[in-house]
Each structure stands twice: as structure tokens, then as C-alpha cells.
Amino acid sequence: MGLKQNLHNLKEKYKGTKMEQGFNALHTFLYLPNITTHRGSHVRDATDLKRVMNTVIMAMVPVLIFGMFNAGYQHNLAINGVAEFLTMDNFVVGLSKILPLLIVSYGVGLGIEFIFATVKKHEVEEGYLVTGMLVPLIVPIDLPLWMLAVAVAFGVVIAKELFGGTGMNVLNPALTIRAFLFFNWAAWMSGDKVWVHGAVDGIKNAAGTDAISGETILGTLAANKEVAYSVSDMFFGYIPGSVGETSTFLIVLAAAFLIFTGIGSARIMISSIIGAVVMGLIFNMIVDAEVITESSKFFGLMSFPFWQHLMVGGLAFGIVYMATDPVSASQTNRGKIIYGFLIGFISILIRVFNPAYPEGVMMAILLMNVFAPTIDHYVVQGNVKRRMKRLKTKTA
């Protein structure tokens, strides 16, 4: 007797009890639902929520694997001063740190989803499949697992289940989890000792220094220091940072894949890039006009070439994987353009004017999540007024 038949028998055995939804959820997670529409008109399409989530996960797998190599590479580079990238040692180090993050993220998140499904007697949605992988990719490599567990529980309950579950949430759950981590344990989410494995634990490097420094490019710029990485390093991702946010090259490929499959919104992505470029250009023009001096605390980030902003920090990752969340983003075509532009614009604005936290994409996306319904409202009202005006002109 196969697994599918066993699950079906358990579903029948516990039908009508609190355990029914749990077995239904497991069956739906592993196999296609047995329920089909028998009456009424409906769209016949092979695309469902599970396939959408699986497509996004496939777009994240290359970034995840790269993050494992980069985690080990940055660790060995900090200790030895010289390191190759594609080595098994780098991968093993990265895997040993990132796999526990994945296990805790999925274990806690899906566990809470199953509990709510059992208590409230509704199906378990597949929305957390993407959130569960996003979360480990946007946190530092050495983040304590108990902190991650608490943050995931907060994000799933407060940002998702209290709003009614997948499709009803106002805020992006993954970014809510990251915001919870940042505002409760800021020391573990910023600074120069959280981005490279071993820095917090004081592992000695080749020179015998107790602390390994892993300052990010944005942190370096915020301190008005010279960036030690090349444009190539920034683009391909051989730099310290959150687990999955460093390789702009792989993120661009993921963006193309998501747009091609119809999952990601090209309007949001392109308008976000334009917004970031416009804000970066404005700051570059201020520096060129010599309005501020090199002694200013904003000079490093203001003078940073506008196009390079797209290759550092979590901007590209946030635009591709989280700004395009179909639930929390704007729904109208014109609204998506406005929504995306403001995300890019505000992200760079926060980067420059908050040197203590030189990464603004998280706050920008969460802010625009809140305003997305308002943007759509005014877009719809504008369309109605234009159509009414045309109607009056025709009937006049």
C-alpha cells in the first residue's frame, strides 16, 4: 500500500475530528487535491497556488546554493586571507550554518500553520513555502536559532494568520520577520561582525586578531571609508552580506525567469529600479554641485555611483522576491508602477539619511505594503472619473 493510499485512509479515519485538517494539509502538500469543481463557470488552468509557490522557490534555489558557497568563502577568506570560491570546504561551512536556519524557519512556520488549520478547521495554504525559504536568505549567517524561531512565530501569527492567512495579509511576512529581528536584536542584524561566520564568536584569523571583520559595502560607505571591492565582486556577489542577497547576477537571472513564467511583475521591478536610479542620481548631483563636503557623514553614500546602488545590499533581492509579492503589492497596472517607483526611491533615501542603518529596502517595501491599497484606490477612482468624463462627452 502506497503513501498516498495510507494518507487517504487516515483522512477517512479522522474525518470530522480536529485531526482531519492536518491530514488534509499533508495530503495537499504532497499531492494534488482530490476536490474538483462540478458546477458553475470557472477558469480551467493548470496554474494553482502550489505551482506558483514552487516556481518562486525554483528561482531562489540558485541564490541559496551560491549563499552556501559564499558563506564558507567569506569565512575562510577572513581567516586565511586567501581562498578559492568553488570548493567543497566552503560549501560544507555554508551548509552547516544555513541548513539549520532553513529547518527552524520551515519547522516553526509550518508547525504554526498546521496548528491554526487544525484549530480553525481550514486548509493549510502553501504561501509559507516561499516565506520559509526567504527568511534564511535575508538574515546574517550566525543569527542564533532561537531568535529566528521567535521571529518566525511572530511573523506568521501577527502578519499572516491574524489577517486571515495567505492572500489576506497586508504586510509581507518575510519582511515582517526581518523587521521584528532588527528592532528587537539590532546588534545581531547590523554592524561589521554579523555578516561573516565566526566574527561574533571571535575566531582568530591568520594574523591572530580575535574578531573577524565582515563589514558590508553599505557599512563602509556609511562610515565614509573607501570600498575595497570591485564592481565585478559586487555584481557576482563575492562580498559579505545576508545569506542570499549578495549575487546581483543570479538575482537578475531569477527576475528574468519569474517575468517569463508570469509570476513576477515586470512593472514593479522596472519601476523600482528607475526609482532607485533617480534618487541615486539626485544625490550624485548634490555631491557634484559641492553642496556637501567629504567631512559630511552622508558623503560616502551620496557620492556612491547611482548605478552601483543596485548591486549592493538587499535592494535587488527585495525588488525581485518581495516587492513583487502579489498579495501585499499593488494590484492595478498603474498602481504597480507608482508602488515600485516609490520603493526604489525611498530605499535609497533611507540608505543615505540613516547611516546607523544603511539599508532601506526592507522599510521601503513594508511602508509601501501599507499604502498599496490606497494607491490602487486612487488609480481606480481616476479611471472611473476618466470614463465618466468620456461618457458625458459622447452623450453631449
Side-chain angles (χ1 to χ4, degrees), residues 53 130-131 134 159-160 163 165-176 265 268 318-332 335-336 339-340 343 362 364-376:
M53 297 298 110
V130 169
T131 302
L134 274 174
K160 188 177 179 185
F163 285 95
T166 299
M168 305 297 291
N169 51 288
V170 176
L171 302 176
N172 182 284
L175 284 177
T176 303
S265 170
I268 293 177
I319 288 173
V320 172
Y321 291 109
M322 289 177 284
T324 56
D325 177 10
V327 176
S328 55
S330 290
Q331 305 299 312
T332 60
K336 290 177 181 179
Y339 168 87
I343 284 176
M362 175 187 74
I365 295 176
L366 287 175
L367 178 65
M368 295 315 301
N369 284 167
V370 174
F371 283 100
T374 304
I375 293 173
D376 286 337

Side-chain angles (χ1 to χ4, degrees), residues 94-171:
L95 180 65
S96 67
K97 298 301 298 183
I98 296 174
L99 186 59
L101 295 175
L102 282 168
I103 292 173
V104 170
S105 177
Y106 274 118
V108 174
L110 289 177
I112 294 175
E113 292 266 10
F114 271 77
I115 291 173
F116 269 86
T118 301
V119 173
K120 298 172 69 175
K121 295 184 178 180
H122 66 69
E123 296 289 339
V124 174
E125 300 94 348
E126 292 87 348
Y128 192 77
L129 294 179
V130 169
T131 302
M133 183 173 287
L134 274 174
V135 172
L137 295 177
I138 59 177
V139 298
I141 188 70
D142 278 338
L143 181 73
L145 297 180
W146 70 267
M147 289 184 186
L148 181 64
V150 173
V152 168
F154 174 87
V156 173
V157 174
I158 302 300
K160 188 177 179 185
E161 292 298 339
L162 288 187
F163 285 95
T166 299
M168 305 297 291
N169 51 288
V170 176
L171 302 176

Side-chain angles (χ1 to χ4, degrees), residues 156-345:
V156 173
V157 174
I158 302 300
K160 188 177 179 185
E161 292 298 339
L162 288 187
F163 285 95
T166 299
M168 305 297 291
N169 51 288
V170 176
L171 302 176
N172 182 284
L175 284 177
T176 303
I177 292 169
R178 196 181 194 282
F180 181 85
L181 285 167
F182 177 79
F183 288 112
N184 284 279
W185 299 289
W188 283 95
M189 298 298 294
S190 62
D192 63 348
K193 295 182 180 180
V194 299
W195 308 111
V196 176
H197 168 49
V200 175
D201 296 331
I203 295 178
K204 294 182 180 294
N205 60 20
T209 303
D210 288 334
I212 300 170
S213 177
E215 193 171 39
T216 63
I217 291 175
L218 292 177
T220 301
L221 292 170
N224 283 345
K225 298 177 184 177
E226 186 177 350
V227 176
Y229 298 98
S230 66
V231 173
S232 176
D233 289 337
M234 298 179 199
F235 181 67
F236 289 105
Y238 307 129
I239 56 177
S242 295
V243 172
E245 294 179 344
T246 62
S247 179
T248 307
F249 171 70
L250 290 178
I251 294 171
V252 169
L253 293 181
F257 174 71
L258 291 174
I259 292 173
F260 175 77
T261 55
I263 304 300
S265 170
R267 288 183 176 87
I268 293 177
M269 293 184 197
I270 295 172
S271 59
S272 296
I273 293 171
I274 293 173
V277 167
V278 168
M279 189 74 261
L281 274 171
I282 292 173
F283 284 132
N284 286 174
M285 290 168 64
I286 292 174
V287 172
D288 292 340
E290 298 182 352
V291 176
I292 63 170
T293 63
E294 292 189 22
S295 61
S296 169
K297 63 180 179 179
F298 303 126
F299 183 83
L301 285 162
M302 274 190 168
S303 62
F304 193 53
F306 68 92
W307 56 276
Q308 292 186 22
H309 273 288
L310 301 171
M311 296 188 291
V312 296
L315 184 60
F317 189 94
I319 288 173
V320 172
Y321 291 109
M322 289 177 284
T324 56
D325 177 10
V327 176
S328 55
S330 290
Q331 305 299 312
T332 60
N333 287 339
R334 183 171 296 179
K336 290 177 181 179
I337 295 173
I338 299 171
Y339 168 87
F341 180 87
L342 289 175
I343 284 176
F345 193 89

